[in-house]
Amino acid sequence: MSEGGDLAGRTVLVLEDEPIIGFELEDMLADQGAEPVFCGSLDAARERLARARPDCAILDVNIHGEQSYPLAVELAGRGIPFIFATGYGASLHPPEFADVPTVSKPYKLPEILKAFAALKL
Amino acid sequence: MIPIDFEALFARSPNPYVVMDPALTLVWMNDAYLNVTMRAREAITGRTMFEAFPSDPESASHRQLQESFDRVLATGEADEIALIRYDIERADGSMDERYWSATHTPMMEGGKVAWILQHTVDVTELHGLRRLRDEMGVVQRASVIQARNRRMFDEVLRLRSLVEQAPGFVAIVSEPQHVFRLANQAYRELIGDRPLIGRPAAEALPEVVDQGFITLLDTVRESARAYVARRARVLLRDAKGRTRERFLDFIFQPILSPSDGTVNGIFVQGYDVTDQVEAQERQRLLINELNHRVKNTLAIVQSLANQSFRHVSSAEVARRTFEARLNALAAAHSLLTESNWESAHLRDTVRAAVEATAGEAIDRIHIEGPDFALQPQTAVSLAMIIHELATNAIKYGALSTDTGRVEVRWAITQQDGDCHLLIDWIESGGPAVTQPSRRGFGTRLIERGMSAERSSAVAIRFEAEGLRCSIGAILPRATT
């Protein structure tokens, strides 16, 4: 990666409630030299965050019928950059997250790289 | 005693009088009587009433007159004939049709009727007028108008009843304060049956003031232009005083005076379309949800494809692997579709996944465990895990021989209000199995396929009699 979205060597927390989709995302990130940390639920992500600080995160907005915005608040509070992923078309984030880069499912590597690049990691 | 000459007085009266004895012999009459009967005094004095004025004894006139005299003679009391036709012979012998009104007053002497005084009035002219009136149909027309009025009244009642029962709400307000004059049942229900008639709108429905509806009525009244609203949101109090959100299609139609075109009042008519608005909102959410699911499913398919083709030894093998995984996914989706994507039965989910994968070998797979409603996502994950286990068994495990068997059994226990699921996949009678050198997608899926559940734990053991896999997870209950 050249233009600031370099994921190589970075720990990426992956919040995705569908394991099969998570595998694909893990592989995409691993191919970029990143270290993906898969979390299938909000609880799992909180536990993981309590133990170690990831470099960045990708959060599926809809997790088991809940929204991941509370977790986004925690990440923002700790200064951990993140992007959103959503299966909904034109999803409207709350105002405080209006500018967070967002990718739509199915995941596409170029979109993910572009979104992370916007975070200026 | 005042000296009055009664005979002279009667004689000069313009009212006709005649005096008879009990035998009805005419003994005295005044000039007015002679005049009205067209007779000379000497021609009739001393003759009886019926000799002086002959009539057919069988006629109604004759009998009516005779009976009146009989009553006076029998009772000694005055008798009246309101109307009697009694024709009088003219000088030329022809008959003049006459109508009379008469009173017969007895004069008593020694307890007996001595004389009868007849006072008669020629009412022929009056009778003629009445007949004329009848001929012109005045009465008939009056009754026709009366009937028409009744029909109009009935019509008004019928219209009022129609308005009352109309499915839409109807109200009429008048005056600058928009005082309620009429409100049908639908309208009264809409506003929670509060008193309306005779009350200004702002007083009867105070909650609508700040929502701008009185201003709207003012505008309609001032501009004499109708206002039409579609799906207007209004908060209205119900009978229990709670505020309800309603969506209304309505029109405020000015009622114009036919004479000068000024606004007399406002006709309010509309429909409560809350149900439709809510149905549309549900539909919008459903379409959103469907969009989400389709995208999610495409993402799963994308992953299955990439995982199937990633470490490809032969394109044909990879294609078959991918196809089999799609089949397992489709089988899980079919099950969920049956329940509108609310839940899937655990038993059906396991069976469908096994059937989609194992084909004829299903006879050698024993499935046993209590049923449980799984959430859609859990059902899909479990179906994919079972598919990978079955695929592995067919390729390398118990189902790769003709004699091997698989037992799938599970238990559900309740702990601290949570449902703990423990599934055992136990293979036996197959070839000796060993841990594969490379951990492929199948193993990854089996080991982590349930990782979205709370506290999932998977153990895979390659034992001498066959593969054993235990999957434990805390499950959320499906909302059914």
Side-chain angles (χ1 to χ4, degrees):
Chain A
M1 290 298 297
S2 49
E3 63 277 7
D6 199 346
L7 293 171
R10 300 192 190 267
T11 335
V12 184
L13 185 143
V14 174
L15 177 64
E16 165 62 62
D17 65 355
E18 184 59 71
I20 297 173
I21 299 172
F23 299 160
E24 176 66 11
L25 194 50
E26 276 184 315
D27 288 353
M28 280 184 190
L29 295 169
D31 286 349
Q32 298 301 309
E35 285 177 38
V37 178
F38 178 82
C39 300
S41 65
L42 286 165
D43 284 347
R46 286 205 181 88
E47 276 171 38
R48 186 67 176 71
L49 276 174
R51 279 188 281 122
R53 179 192 172 94
D55 294 317
C56 56
I58 175 165
L59 308 179
D60 187 357
V61 171
N62 200 302
I63 294 288
H64 293 296
E66 276 184 74
Q67 293 193 314
S68 59
Y69 295 125
L71 189 74
V73 172
E74 274 180 55
L75 290 175
R78 293 176 59 177
I80 301 169
F82 57 91
I83 65 170
F84 285 126
T86 173
Y88 292 99
S91 157
L92 272 181
H93 300 310
E96 66 264 41
F97 299 126
D99 297 331
V100 175
T102 303
V103 297
S104 65
K105 295 195 207 178
Y107 294 107
K108 291 159 285 280
L109 183 64
E111 267 188 37
I112 292 171
L113 293 179
K114 200 177 150 196
F116 275 116
L119 293 181
K120 307 211 188 319
L121 295 173
Chain B
M1 192 169 163
I2 305 161
I4 294 175
D5 182 349
F6 281 97
E7 185 178 344
L9 191 65
F10 272 86
R12 298 180 69 139
S13 168
N15 299 319
Y17 292 105
V18 61
V19 179
M20 291 156 272
D21 66 10
L24 306 181
T25 308
L26 309 182
V27 295
W28 183 90
M29 70 281 304
N30 65 0
D31 289 347
Y33 185 81
L34 295 170
N35 193 29
V36 77
T37 55
M38 301 181 295
R39 291 291 185 275
R41 182 169 278 112
E42 57 278 14
I44 56 172
T45 304
R47 306 181 73 176
T48 68
M49 178 61 82
F50 291 109
E51 284 166 358
F53 306 100
S55 61
D56 178 0
E58 298 301 316
S59 70
S61 304
H62 188 101
R63 262 188 286 127
Q64 206 178 349
L65 187 58
Q66 181 71 62
E67 281 165 13
S68 179
F69 289 135
D70 290 349
R71 278 194 296 274
V72 173
L73 291 168
T75 64
E77 288 173 13
D79 194 73
E80 283 181 28
I81 302 175
L83 184 69
I84 180 171
R85 175 177 173 176
Y86 206 98
D87 296 351
I88 305 288
E89 198 180 350
R90 293 193 193 93
D92 62 5
S94 65
M95 298 302 284
D96 192 21
E97 183 182 328
R98 293 286 190 91
Y99 292 86
W100 310 85
S101 183
T103 56
H104 296 135
T105 311
M107 286 189 277
M108 309 299 287
E109 277 176 17
K112 295 174 88 177
V113 176
W115 311 102
I116 296 172
L117 171 69
Q118 181 188 65
H119 171 217
T120 188
V121 179
D122 181 354
V123 295
T124 308
E125 208 169 320
L126 278 178
H127 185 80
L129 280 174
R130 190 188 297 174
R131 196 174 51 197
L132 190 67
R133 180 194 68 184
D134 289 350
E135 281 167 2
M136 286 175 68
V138 173
V139 171
Q140 202 181 348
R141 276 181 300 147
S143 41
V144 166
I145 287 166
Q146 199 175 348
R148 196 177 299 155
N149 283 346
R150 174 162 289 281
R151 277 200 301 278
M152 285 173 70
F153 183 65
D154 287 348
E155 188 76 357
V156 167
L157 284 182
R158 208 163 60 82
L159 281 174
R160 191 176 290 178
S161 146
L162 276 179
V163 167
E164 175 67 11
Q165 296 170 43
F169 56 78
V170 175
I172 290 174
V173 295
S174 68
E175 297 173 44
Q177 298 302 306
H178 315 298
V179 176
F180 278 98
R181 298 296 172 207
L182 177 152
N184 74 346
Q185 189 182 358
Y187 194 95
R188 297 194 304 272
E189 278 171 12
L190 181 71
I191 54 92
D193 266 327
R194 282 173 279 173
L196 289 175
I197 305 304
R199 304 185 69 192
E203 189 187 303
L205 310 171
E207 72 270 30
V208 306
V209 178
D210 286 343
Q211 301 179 58
F213 289 96
I214 304 299
T215 312
L216 265 181
L217 286 170
D218 290 341
T219 308
V220 169
R221 194 175 171 86
E222 283 155 23
S223 67
R225 287 227 190 98
Y227 177 85
V228 179
R230 300 267 304 150
R231 285 165 167 41
R233 181 176 176 270
V234 54
L235 299 171
L236 285 172
R237 261 180 239 153
D238 66 7
K240 289 174 184 161
R242 293 172 306 200
T243 299
R244 295 185 309 164
E245 182 184 51
R246 300 273 93 186
F247 291 90
L248 309 177
D249 282 358
F250 68 87
I251 180 167
F252 287 167
Q253 175 79 45
I255 303 170
L256 304 179
S257 156
S259 51
D260 58 7
T262 56
V263 178
N264 272 347
I266 296 169
F267 182 72
V268 178
Q269 194 262 322
Y271 289 92
D272 185 341
V273 292
T274 308
D275 289 350
Q276 280 130 280
V277 170
E278 283 173 355
Q280 266 181 358
E281 176 60 13
R282 273 197 300 276
Q283 194 178 29
R284 196 185 62 77
L285 288 173
L286 269 179
I287 289 170
N288 255 3
E289 185 57 31
L290 180 69
N291 187 34
H292 174 68
R293 264 180 216 155
V294 167
K295 292 264 182 68
N296 214 53
T297 303
L298 284 176
I300 291 176
V301 170
Q302 177 200 31
S303 178
L304 291 178
N306 282 341
Q307 299 295 331
S308 303
F309 288 95
R310 180 171 279 247
H311 307 287
V312 58
S313 50
S314 113
E316 181 57 18
V317 170
R319 192 187 63 75
R320 279 209 302 267
T321 305
F322 175 56
E323 213 171 87
R325 285 171 176 159
L326 279 191
N327 276 343
L329 181 64
H333 277 208
S334 295
L335 264 186
L336 285 165
T337 302
E338 282 173 23
S339 69
N340 294 323
W341 276 78
E342 279 164 356
S343 69
H345 292 291
L346 173 56
R347 199 177 292 160
D348 293 342
T349 303
V350 172
R351 184 175 297 280
V354 165
E355 276 172 358
T357 311
E360 289 172 10
I362 186 123
D363 294 342
R364 291 188 279 142
I365 303 178
H366 179 73
I367 298 170
E368 192 182 318
D371 213 353
F372 185 82
L374 297 175
Q375 279 195 347
Q377 209 168 19
T378 313
V380 170
S381 297
L382 183 61
M384 296 311 292
I385 290 170
I386 298 292
H387 166 74
E388 292 302 331
L389 284 168
T391 303
N392 189 68
I394 290 166
K395 277 188 186 166
Y396 316 109
L399 300 179
S400 67
T401 68
D402 293 337
T403 53
R405 297 187 59 82
V406 178
E407 273 197 59
V408 191
R409 57 177 74 222
W410 62 86
I412 291 166
T413 51
Q414 305 280 339
Q415 284 174 32
D416 309 325
D418 288 330
C419 289
H420 293 249
L421 170 69
L422 184 64
I423 303 179
D424 283 312
W425 175 279
I426 304 159
E427 297 184 18
S428 60
V433 288
T434 52
Q435 187 149 358
S437 55
R438 196 178 59 78
R439 292 161 68 82
F441 173 70
T443 314
R444 195 177 177 189
L445 186 59
I446 293 163
E447 285 180 339
R448 292 174 49 201
M450 296 286 273
S451 57
E453 309 302 335
R454 278 198 296 148
S455 310
S456 66
V458 177
I460 303 175
R461 295 194 299 280
F462 298 90
E463 294 180 353
E465 57 270 35
L467 179 139
R468 286 183 75 109
C469 178
S470 300
I471 302 162
I474 298 177
L475 297 181
R477 271 191 184 280
T479 48
T480 48

